Amino acid sequence: MPRSVRPLSRNRRRRCSSAGVVERLEPRLPLAVTTPFEVRFTTTTTGDITFAANTLMTAPATPEGDAARNGVGSELNNNDFTMVYVDIDADPTTFNSSSADLVVPDGAQVLFAGLYWGGRTSASAAPGGETQLRNTVKFQAPGASGYTDITGAIIGTVSSSYQGFADVTSLVQEGGAGSYTVANVRAVSDKSDFYAGWSLVVAYQAPGEPARNLTVFDGYGS
């Protein structure tokens, strides 16, 4: 005999673990979407989507900061720290930089590569002091002798936070797998509750992969 089921309120939602134990889910606030999410790239082929990404801000070089980076200690929340830039290169033209490895199967063909970056900044405190510079970054592919200056588009902003995008498909097709470096993402350092980082999103075709629909959406919400 059918019976009615009343959904739990948001603050009372539950889920069952694999052991059958009912767990309480923490409350979730919906994103405030300022730029609707739309398709950036789509195809159906034998391939996959992968990422290379890294931060450009970290905890300071103190005993507490070192412990947080190592995932130990009692102070692991970035909000507790005065964040500083990550700057791995010896290039005097960069104020922040970090690298990550892009891994794709042998014989893979890059179909799309989108570079996304973002941070929290302000016109008065950002390097250069100009918010319009948020759409510019430096990008270095494997084997390149130096950085390529990238001018992209700002997908969205909320207050002092923003998200940038540039299509770097041709650069990644040429560079292939290996270490990619991104630099000069505008953000505020030496203050608490600030951040910066980047992601390289790559769709590829490769022999031996299952047939899939590969779709990349982007937009902005916070």
Side-chain angles (χ1 to χ4, degrees):
M1 180 175 180
R3 62 180 181 177
S4 62
V5 178
R6 184 179 66 183
L8 294 169
S9 68
R10 196 172 89 190
N11 289 335
R12 296 177 57 225
R13 287 183 297 177
R14 306 288 196 273
R15 70 178 178 190
C16 291
S17 69
S18 58
V21 178
V22 176
E23 302 174 355
R24 181 186 295 272
L25 294 178
E26 66 182 52
R28 298 284 184 176
L29 295 176
L31 287 177
V33 176
T34 58
T35 303
F37 284 77
E38 297 181 349
V39 173
R40 177 69 66 174
F41 170 84
T42 186
T43 191
T44 299
T45 188
T46 55
D48 208 345
I49 296 175
T50 191
F51 303 84
N54 210 337
T55 185
L56 287 162
M57 297 279 244
T58 189
T62 63
E64 295 80 10
D66 293 342
R69 283 193 298 275
N70 291 324
V72 298
S74 60
E75 298 182 36
L76 302 180
N77 192 327
N78 286 350
N79 294 335
D80 294 332
F81 294 103
T82 299
M83 302 295 283
V84 297
Y85 288 134
V86 174
D87 196 7
I88 64 166
D89 61 24
D91 189 332
T93 69
T94 68
F95 51 85
N96 61 28
S97 60
S98 64
S99 296
D101 290 339
L102 175 66
V103 179
V104 295
D106 291 341
Q109 176 188 356
V110 173
L111 304 177
F112 166 82
L115 179 64
Y116 295 85
W117 66 90
R120 184 179 175 200
T121 187
S122 67
S124 60
E130 300 176 15
T131 56
Q132 61 262 38
L133 295 178
R134 294 181 300 183
N135 70 329
T136 62
V137 296
K138 292 180 176 291
F139 182 72
Q140 186 170 3
S145 59
Y147 285 107
T148 298
D149 290 327
I150 301 291
T151 299
I154 299 301
I155 294 176
T157 62
V158 173
S159 184
S160 58
S161 300
Y162 72 97
Q163 181 78 52
F165 164 80
D167 190 318
V168 292
T169 301
S170 61
L171 293 173
V172 177
Q173 286 173 337
E174 182 179 354
S179 180
Y180 285 81
T181 305
V182 176
N184 283 11
V185 172
R186 305 284 158 168
V188 175
S189 67
D190 302 315
K191 291 187 177 183
S192 61
D193 199 21
F194 281 80
Y195 64 92
W198 60 273
S199 297
L200 179 63
V201 181
V202 176
Y204 64 85
Q205 182 183 49
E209 290 279 344
R212 298 184 174 103
N213 177 260
L214 309 178
T215 299
V216 177
F217 296 83
D218 62 32
Y220 191 72
S222 68

